[in-house]
Amino acid sequence: MKWFVLLLTVPMCFAHLNVYLSSAEVWRLLGLTAELFYVRDGQVNFYALNFVVPVPATIGELHFTWQSLTRRPLPYTLHVEVVNHSEAMHTPEFNISTEGFVPTEPQTWQVTLPCTHAVAAEVDITISLNVSTGSSSTALHFRRRKICLKDAPRPAVRVDSVPHAQTSADIFYAGAGCAGGALLIAAVAAAACRARARKLRRARSDEQDAHAFLPDSSCKSAASYTSYRRPTSLPAAAAEERARDLQQRIAELTIQRCRVRLRSVAMEGTFGRVYRGTYADEDAREQEVLVKTVAEHASQVQVSLLLQEGCMLYGLHHERVLSVLGVSIEDQTAPFLLYPWGASWRNLKQFLLACRGVTVGGAAGGAPPPPLTTQHVVRMALHALDGLLYLHSQHVLHKDIAARNCIVDENLRVMIADNALSRDLFPADYHCLGDNENRPIKWLALESLTKRMFSPAADVWALGVLLWELTTLAHQPYAEVDPFEVAAYLRDGYRLQQPANCPDELFAVMAYCWAMSPDDRPTLPQLQIFLRDFHTQLTRFV
């Protein structure tokens, strides 16, 4: 009993991910039917980390499952060390990179433990995982004891009356593993009770940070949705090239704050602000810029999201993509994200609302734009499609294609932008369904909404909703449908209605984008061919 009380006094730390062994892995190692969490909902369980798990001679690899609980993948480094008897084991190897990002969806990775079979020994192994969460890092050390056996000829017929030394060792360590595992599971259960009480005490402070950022009170994490994610089929070389550390990107983009001059507020939310201003380069040449930043009361999570989402298009160069120009970070001040900006450029959603006479807070005044024709709409859709085609060619999924994340100039040329601050500036477009994710529910494909599956076909679905926004001048999709009912609504076959004055041919394109199966949706090149042909037909009647 004294030992059990001592376990409960071990402190627990807070991280931003889950790391655990699946029930299949626990059964394989310990013979128990349970999941074993090293980090559950951000709580680090030192009871589990301090337990040395025996690995029988018959098992040559280990499996771990992890998931980032933030809106962005978390940077990590992996290292494995053979503590003793290195002559009994070759260098262990991972099936993932030793540096990269913890994904936002559950992922299982593997480390192989190759015995040399030159000597028989018990090899102590330490697998170290270091995860960065912005201002701090979490170090996890998984300890294993691998049984390596020396190769020996096996008898053709097993004689039960003469026990084999190898089999006895295996049985001993399997029994020890089961006993230790049973104690470990009991300790984990007790730790979970303590962690739950600790989390309840933190709930009020967490909600205060989240409510300034999320519109739904059930959202308690402001870091759970990332707008950009590479396809799972991304080639390894391209993935490594695109997965550079955020700090390195910021270092490459850093500019001096004294060169930035703010002129006026373009948009403002609860914690985010967008300014128009100028930036003077080293030759004192000034250019118009748009500056995204956060207010003084913004939390560190919101600051990290601004930097992460704002830098995701860094290094991409295309006439239909608006990429970040520079980042200014100084001590004790909010970071500035600078974007190249034209005098006539506007947020596309604000522009569409102005086209139907709706005044938007923080938007520039002036006379309403001229009416949009179907020809204008199709040409603007083609511009957005060209930008999305380029992103996909660079193995980037946008995951938040919408009018609010595009800009337009006086000649109705459209560019795709990132979604930094969009949740704050357009809160009505994002909803939390009690799953700690503030997402653009009414723009998501059905499989993205229900299964967290994203692909180029999911971006095609959202592009269809953007086309619907263009034809309706930024009306709210599914305005009559509760966000909690959208998934069932789509599953039952219902879709957005055909807008007034929308040609049947154009609405057919939208409906094609919203096919239930991703395989039934058109590809971007197919959409491009159809829209170009349709635009050509329209010009013949003008």
Side-chain angles (χ1 to χ4, degrees), residues 14-18 39 41-42 67-70 74 133 136 138 223 301:
F14 189 76
H16 296 279
L17 72 160
N18 282 334
V39 185
D41 295 335
Q67 177 187 10
S68 169
L69 299 180
T70 65
L74 294 173
T133 57
S136 63
T138 300
V301 171

Side-chain angles (χ1 to χ4, degrees), residues 62 64 66 75-83 91-100 109-113 124-131 138-144:
L62 303 173
F64 296 82
W66 61 9
Y76 77 85
T77 58
L78 270 174
H79 174 71
V80 61
E81 179 183 4
V82 177
V83 181
T91 303
E93 296 180 350
F94 300 99
N95 70 338
I96 59 173
S97 173
T98 56
E99 295 184 7
W109 50 274
Q110 172 184 298
V111 54
T112 58
L113 307 177
D124 290 333
I125 302 159
T126 300
I127 303 167
S128 299
L129 168 64
N130 191 288
V131 180
T138 300
L140 305 174
H141 304 286
F142 312 102
R143 295 173 174 84
R144 299 291 184 267

Side-chain angles (χ1 to χ4, degrees), residues 204-241:
R204 179 167 297 181
S205 59
D206 286 347
E207 289 177 0
Q208 288 175 351
D209 283 343
H211 288 172
F213 176 55
L214 305 174
D216 194 299
S217 60
S218 63
C219 296
K220 295 189 179 178
S221 171
S224 56
Y225 178 76
T226 305
S227 293
Y228 297 86
R229 184 177 179 190
R230 267 162 289 282
T232 55
S233 59
L234 176 64
E240 291 181 3
E241 180 181 357

